[in-house]
Amino acid sequence: MSYTCYLGGALWPTPEKLQVKIKGKNKTLVLLNEGEVNFLRAPGLTEITVPFDLPMLTGSQSPDYFLGLLERMKTNKETTQFMLVRVSPSGGMLFDTNIKVSVEDYTITEDGKNGLDVAVDVNLKQWRDYGTKTVTVEEPKAESATPTVTVQKEREASTAPTAKTYTVKAGDCLWAIAAKYYGNGADYTKIYNANTDKISNPNLIYPGQVLTLP
């Protein structure tokens, strides 16, 4: 089984382990003569701890590149998608960890036993989008007035959108293509599912392939 790890829109070295903590917010109270009772509440934000080993000489990118990504996300207060994709030896997609997160903190360690390589422990926390909603209620002007609903004419078949295509270039990956065309690299599965006749492994695409972008 192979693993592919994405954070900040970049492909990272595969971590040796991954710790995901699903935090509970249940509250236990002691009632007089009744003992303890547990009040069930919605779960808290998921926390993820990822230890990365960043090779200095053998990796596709230097440690400075990855540490720069972490600094940018932390300094600019950016959220991002964390993904750990699991693929079976036959190339089939297994379940993946896919969650929108913020970078809480990270610890950089340089150890002489690891040579020039750099270790960084990254703590991530689930991000839930939130905001206020405004609702405007309009009353009919007359008591007998009733709301009206207007149905737009159905679109002509000739104006229906057509699927786009993209020719893979050297250095491309599905994550980067999805980020460019959909604004979110996590939507790479849309491209994969639309091109299973061409792609057996979503982590392996080749220059010259013509992919359908649904």
Side-chain angles (χ1 to χ4, degrees):
M1 183 167 63
S2 62
Y3 297 83
T4 308
C5 182
Y6 296 93
L7 178 65
L11 178 63
W12 285 64
T14 303
E16 291 187 358
K17 61 181 179 179
L18 175 68
Q19 185 179 52
V20 180
K21 183 177 182 181
I22 314 298
K23 298 195 69 176
K25 290 294 183 179
N26 297 342
K27 187 174 181 63
T28 302
L29 297 178
V30 179
L31 301 181
L32 185 63
N33 298 327
E34 295 292 338
E36 293 184 331
V37 295
N38 201 21
F39 288 90
L40 303 183
R41 297 179 175 178
L45 298 176
T46 298
E47 296 179 356
I48 303 175
T49 301
V50 196
F52 290 109
D53 288 322
L54 308 178
M56 183 69 73
L57 303 177
T58 59
S60 59
Q61 300 285 357
S62 69
D64 285 345
Y65 170 79
F66 297 107
L67 295 178
L69 288 177
L70 292 175
E71 181 179 3
R72 186 202 71 199
M73 289 185 286
K74 188 69 175 171
T75 302
N76 296 342
K77 302 177 183 178
E78 297 179 6
T79 60
T80 187
Q81 209 75 16
F82 172 77
M83 293 185 62
L84 188 67
V85 181
R86 301 164 179 85
V87 181
S88 67
S90 62
M93 289 286 292
L94 304 176
F95 83 98
D96 57 18
T97 301
N98 186 345
I99 184 172
K100 191 174 186 179
V101 297
S102 60
V103 177
E104 293 300 296
D105 51 66
Y106 54 95
T107 304
I108 304 169
T109 304
E110 295 188 60
D111 192 328
K113 293 183 294 184
N114 297 329
L116 298 175
D117 295 349
V118 177
V120 56
D121 293 328
V122 183
N123 294 321
L124 308 171
K125 181 174 286 188
Q126 180 185 10
W127 175 268
R128 291 177 182 159
D129 293 313
Y130 63 92
T132 58
K133 295 182 179 180
T134 302
V135 178
T136 302
V137 179
E138 296 184 0
E139 296 288 344
K141 294 181 179 180
E143 292 183 2
S144 59
T146 57
T148 59
V149 178
T150 302
V151 179
Q152 294 182 348
K153 182 180 179 181
E154 292 185 0
R155 180 176 57 200
E156 298 291 341
S158 60
T159 64
T162 58
K164 296 181 179 180
T165 60
Y166 176 81
T167 303
V168 178
K169 301 179 180 62
D172 277 344
C173 65
L174 291 187
W175 177 285
I177 297 172
K180 179 180 179 180
Y181 284 92
Y182 300 135
N184 186 353
D187 287 333
Y188 80 96
T189 54
K190 294 181 181 179
I191 304 176
Y192 171 70
N193 291 331
N195 294 275
T196 52
D197 58 327
K198 307 181 188 76
I199 305 174
S200 58
N201 184 335
N203 301 314
L204 296 176
I205 58 176
Y206 304 97
Q209 285 181 306
V210 180
L211 305 180
T212 299
L213 302 181

